Amino acid sequence: MAKRAGIIGGAGYTGGEAIRLLLNHPDVELAFVHSRSNAGNPLHAVHADLLGDTDLLFTSEIDNSVDVIFLCLGHGEAKKFLETTDIADSVHIIDLSQDFRLGESVKGREFVYGLPEANRDAIKKAHNVANPGCFATAIQLGLLPLAKAGLLNEVHTTGVTGSTGAGQSLSATSHFTWRANNISTYKVLTHQHLKEIRRTLQGLQPAYSGALNFVPVRGDFPRGIWITSYLNCDLSLEEAYELYTSFYEGHPFTHVSKKQIDLKQVVNTNKVLIQLEKVEGKLVIHSIEDNLVKGASGQAVQNMNLVLGLEETAGLKLKSIVF
Amino acid sequence: MAKRAGIIGGAGYTGGEAIRLLLNHPDVELAFVHSRSNAGNPLHAVHADLLGDTDLLFTSEIDNSVDVIFLCLGHGEAKKFLETTDIADSVHIIDLSQDFRLGESVKGREFVYGLPEANRDAIKKAHNVANPGCFATAIQLGLLPLAKAGLLNEVHTTGVTGSTGAGQSLSATSHFTWRANNISTYKVLTHQHLKEIRRTLQGLQPAYSGALNFVPVRGDFPRGIWITSYLNCDLSLEEAYELYTSFYEGHPFTHVSKKQIDLKQVVNTNKVLIQLEKVEGKLVIHSIEDNLVKGASGQAVQNMNLVLGLEETAGLKLKSIVF
Amino acid sequence: MAKRAGIIGGAGYTGGEAIRLLLNHPDVELAFVHSRSNAGNPLHAVHADLLGDTDLLFTSEIDNSVDVIFLCLGHGEAKKFLETTDIADSVHIIDLSQDFRLGESVKGREFVYGLPEANRDAIKKAHNVANPGCFATAIQLGLLPLAKAGLLNEVHTTGVTGSTGAGQSLSATSHFTWRANNISTYKVLTHQHLKEIRRTLQGLQPAYSGALNFVPVRGDFPRGIWITSYLNCDLSLEEAYELYTSFYEGHPFTHVSKKQIDLKQVVNTNKVLIQLEKVEGKLVIHSIEDNLVKGASGQAVQNMNLVLGLEETAGLKLKSIVF
Amino acid sequence: MAKRAGIIGGAGYTGGEAIRLLLNHPDVELAFVHSRSNAGNPLHAVHADLLGDTDLLFTSEIDNSVDVIFLCLGHGEAKKFLETTDIADSVHIIDLSQDFRLGESVKGREFVYGLPEANRDAIKKAHNVANPGCFATAIQLGLLPLAKAGLLNEVHTTGVTGSTGAGQSLSATSHFTWRANNISTYKVLTHQHLKEIRRTLQGLQPAYSGALNFVPVRGDFPRGIWITSYLNCDLSLEEAYELYTSFYEGHPFTHVSKKQIDLKQVVNTNKVLIQLEKVEGKLVIHSIEDNLVKGASGQAVQNMNLVLGLEETAGLKLKSIVF
């Protein structure tokens, strides 16, 4: 019998992606999409691409008989929502905000950090999952094998993100005329995702205390995150490839490429591709994802699959946009 | 038991899209992908986004035991291929070139024009299908209901196409530096798709002899086709909506929108959206598609589904890119 | 002695372009830039590209000793401004809004329509100028020679505009995530510029009463307007070229190209390029401009040059962006 | 009396920019543009944006009576050209290739490295100039003040470049369909500009031996280079601003911004903007330029101005594209 899922905060970008994925999920039925401001309107009134795909309406009611609820709310809003709303204990929560990524709990609910490549067994047993940040996912997947091997030291990381990472609010830096053909940076060396990254890495390499230097760049494209990290490393390129390939063996969405990668290989998919280079004493790791899929709602569905005992890849074999 | 499909010319854009769709098709197995120049290489050596999805290799052999073969060859090449290659009579052919769209045949093979919204019953019974052109699909879907009602007269059409419409060959007009932020036109009033469009329309409205004026515009984006057509029409807006809605009832991919549409509603899907406006005595019809999906390989799969007696939408419920 | 100019509404896009042009004008000094909301701030606080070019501040004062004032205000705001503000009679007004394009006047001030290719002699003698609309400029320049020859009949026009045409306000259709790679239309067959276009054309061909069918398209690039118009015409292509070339002889910014044109030939310049095609009985006219330069502030400076007796091209020999 | 200039290799991107700049230069006449393959054709046959600006033809002759010749040839081609061509000793050479940036000479001609902010006095006295690389210019301008103060140590640099940096040749990574909305890297930690950068920096800080780690990123826009560098530094932010501001005082094109910068502030200008941030013990330096102007042909004209004793900014007060 199909599992049933609900979405809270279904009018935003991650909510919309969760809807798109669940509508086509073979084993899960989208039971409701909650949005106070849009209650009564069809989903396609907000997500215009859904016209012809579903006639479901947004609702202001919460159905506590579902198996799982996705929280697609702003940072700080998820915790507030759980504090003030009655959700049946039996319902699994997958939270896409940053509210529970560092071990926080609410009303006795505890959350497992939902990076399957680091934590799959724990996620399978978890009742609730804190879905990782978009940058955090791509950066961590580039570094996990090194951390497990105890090889991390000071890391230098550049990340270029698409505009969807900033959500749908209107702002000077989201104006088309400004952003088209433009590049800028923000939160240089201070991005909030550094905390959850360090937490995972130290879980694997407890002695790791090197700096994580991260330069986030606003790209002039809508979707995707490109990460390049480098650090001092004695491994040869072949050894490094061996380390990464064996680490990700059995993980269906993370693949190591021996050829040069480019961002559009993964856009609109749940995949992460990793490519390595060795230049003198430094190992360079490139890792790429779609920030809204593997970096948000796709990974949330992957976590749901694990939590509910479904096939990990169910509903996530997505056609790449490529071009 | 799953049907089996092969692809000829799998290294190009439409071949790549056919591969992507068939790899995820629930009822069809991708048996082989033929490419002389790439034989022996993995598909992902050419279509880098397929890394992690399949280890299939290109082949120079043709397996005549498949149920269906897609010809993803250049215009003129499809006919030549069928003339010089032994394909078992039992194998269905879906040809994506323009070689058989006007009633041409080869070695006794006849082709039904594969626009399901016009021809579904004939396609179901067809052995071979000539898949429509990308512009032709979107323009026809904007005009079919009027033709059936005998209301066509001189039509004025603008179409804006993404760069994938021009294929993967390198040329001055495909250079990023030239095309980014640029607009230009080509084949103004003389585009080759006008013939197949007129043929279909006259099938529905035999007396139709008005001019089809079509201005094709090169857009500065990779995927999608936007069509705006207008003509003199006495119908009220409500009557026109009624005409279109009832015409497309039962067609799973073509939908009429009462709200303003925009191209990204359909990118990376097999859908066509249509929107109508009435300004004084003129009816304006907007119709949009992804040129590589509904405009090429997606429609080819839709035609395969019909030919093989599968569900029309099988393998074609695609996640939109939206952003 | 240098002429002196002021700008009202200097914080918007057209105000910014007027500033950029006047800062480098060899014969005119930028005396003041008025903006109520930004008074006291440096120009580069709003127009960040001006950092290093000028330390001028926005002011809330109006200096009535200048030779000319540019009104870079919203539609409706220009008239209101002139009704409620004391501007010395001696000051020339160049208004970039649509408030005075159809013959309107205010407090005895009359305005000449500022399309130099149609009206140069009148502009030279004018005290005030109503600067044409961006679409209106490119469409008219594509049709003027035909109108003068009495050859206009029903015209079919497509126009693709960059996002700067919609100004700097934040809106759903100006959001980068929405607009990137997207196409849509607006005000189909009803665009407000049709009035000023018809007025000019009827001035040249009084009997002209054919329809002007105009489909405005939102492009996914910031700058530029592409226009394609076509109509029935008995001229041969050679005759048409001769008509256009001789019409624009002596006009320094409008040129006829015998090769295919593309939009980026004129971006960031004050030029208009025109290309002709003949297909059976129809003449096709392509015309392109930068909507903020020849379509707005550049043409305003051109009009200022004419009004003040300066060289028509002064300050307007601009380096193209090309790429 | 106007100086006279010639261009060798006028059909490429940097040649085209040199033409555009010299056509509008107040003190220099463009005497000839040499291109073997295009001899006899008008410049606008190759640089279509020049239609209406000039009727000059490409020539296969070299006029040795000019004051200065710009070599806009490929790397390796410039040296070969000078070895095999008779250029009068009196003619100044400004070479845009990398052939003479590291102290190389040819037939007795020596070249001064043409970074005016580092070398202005030497350039003024130079007979020939080796114009810096595009990345090299932006990176060096971000580091010069630190080098002069002896504060350089290991530097971590990310650079994002527009597609024009790769020239006009057709290649997989210059195909619009591939590059639009895409990100990739190349020559990570091994870019050839590192040599000329290190050479200049060691000229100012001879003991500097720290690593220069540079990650070059292909951006999906045509023009501009964004650089972010960081390093350990004890200066406070205020001290750093003071250091940079006083270093660049008197340099007309390099400006220090106290506000966040973005790439489009400098596109189509000869300016470089620099912004500083301090995060714990690290100083972050952002520096931006137009790769074809300050990163190539604009700086070449600036060097010409210095060599010929003209105003440093002559012909280089360019209207920004901004949008």
Side-chain angles (χ1 to χ4, degrees), chain C residues 15-35:
Chain C
E17 287 289 278
I19 293 169
R20 281 171 206 108
L21 293 169
L22 292 175
L23 281 177
N24 289 323
H25 197 293
D27 307 317
V28 175
E29 179 200 343
L30 179 56
F32 71 87
V33 181
H34 183 272
S35 165

Side-chain angles (χ1 to χ4, degrees), chain B:
Chain B
M1 205 182 73
K3 303 288 186 176
R4 297 172 62 250
I7 295 173
I8 309 291
Y13 284 175
T14 58
E17 287 290 277
I19 294 169
R20 282 172 205 106
L21 294 169
L22 292 174
L23 281 178
N24 289 323
H25 197 292
D27 307 317
V28 176
E29 178 201 344
L30 179 57
F32 71 87
V33 182
H34 183 272
S35 164
R36 279 198 196 95
S37 51
N38 294 286
N41 294 328
L43 300 187
H44 59 70
V46 169
H47 305 294
D49 64 295
L50 296 178
L51 185 69
D53 297 337
T54 180
D55 291 323
L56 203 64
L57 309 181
F58 287 105
T59 177
S60 58
E61 309 279 299
I62 292 172
D63 175 353
N64 261 306
S65 73
V66 296
D67 296 283
V68 60
I69 285 180
F70 293 86
L71 300 186
C72 300
L73 299 166
H75 301 312
E77 299 297 313
K79 189 155 183 237
K80 221 175 290 174
F81 176 84
L82 290 176
E83 283 168 350
T84 59
T85 315
D86 286 328
I87 303 290
D89 287 348
S90 58
V91 176
H92 296 280
I93 302 284
I94 316 263
D95 177 42
L96 282 80
S97 83
Q98 65 185 29
D99 292 1
F100 304 102
R101 292 180 193 155
L102 303 178
E104 301 90 334
S105 63
V106 61
K107 297 201 291 194
R109 278 195 191 261
E110 308 216 326
F111 292 77
V112 168
Y113 187 67
L115 188 64
E117 288 81 354
N119 264 353
R120 185 159 52 188
D121 292 341
I123 297 166
K124 282 181 177 173
K125 296 179 212 145
H127 194 63
N128 310 294
V129 175
N131 212 54
C134 52
F135 269 134
T137 296
I139 293 173
Q140 287 174 92
L141 291 177
L143 299 176
L144 286 182
L146 294 171
K148 194 180 167 200
L151 294 174
L152 282 186
N153 50 75
E154 181 167 15
V155 178
H156 302 276
T157 299
T158 297
V160 189
T161 181
S163 60
T164 48
Q168 64 192 346
S169 64
L170 301 172
S171 69
T173 56
S174 74
H175 195 295
F176 179 82
T177 297
W178 183 85
R179 189 147 181 167
N181 308 299
N182 210 354
I183 290 289
S184 57
T185 54
Y186 65 109
K187 300 181 182 171
V188 178
L189 306 188
T190 65
H191 196 281
Q192 68 274 12
H193 286 180
L194 291 169
K195 286 183 194 159
E196 61 183 279
I197 296 169
R198 180 173 294 282
R199 193 167 187 263
T200 305
L201 297 178
Q202 286 179 337
L204 290 166
Q205 180 181 339
Y208 172 52
S209 63
L212 269 172
N213 305 283
F214 174 36
V215 177
V217 180
R218 285 187 195 96
D220 62 326
F221 52 90
R223 268 184 191 259
I225 281 180
W226 175 282
I227 298 293
T228 296
S229 297
Y230 61 86
L231 75 174
N232 292 321
C233 182
D234 288 339
L235 296 180
S236 70
L237 184 60
E238 291 66 31
E239 292 168 336
Y241 266 120
E242 169 59 24
L243 177 71
Y244 275 73
T245 304
S246 65
F247 185 95
Y248 287 117
E249 204 166 20
H251 287 287
F253 294 113
T254 302
H255 305 283
V256 182
S257 171
K258 293 230 162 180
K259 290 176 55 183
Q260 285 211 322
I261 59 176
D262 65 271
L263 184 55
K264 290 206 290 189
Q265 288 179 261
V266 298
V267 172
N268 216 29
T269 80
N270 199 49
K271 294 196 292 188
V272 166
L273 294 187
I274 292 171
Q275 180 210 340
L276 306 173
E277 300 187 73
K278 190 78 197 289
V279 182
E280 296 170 7
K282 290 190 166 106
L283 180 67
V284 181
I285 310 110
H286 308 289
S287 53
I288 56 176
E289 69 172 17
D290 186 311
N291 56 304
L292 289 179
V293 190
K294 181 64 174 172
S297 307
Q299 186 152 260
V301 169
Q302 184 181 357
N303 281 316
M304 175 197 74
N305 289 342
L306 293 171
V307 164
L308 298 181
L310 305 172
E311 177 69 32
E312 186 171 356
T313 59
L316 292 170
K317 291 179 174 166
L318 304 169
K319 188 191 156 306
S320 165
I321 180 85
V322 204
F323 308 119

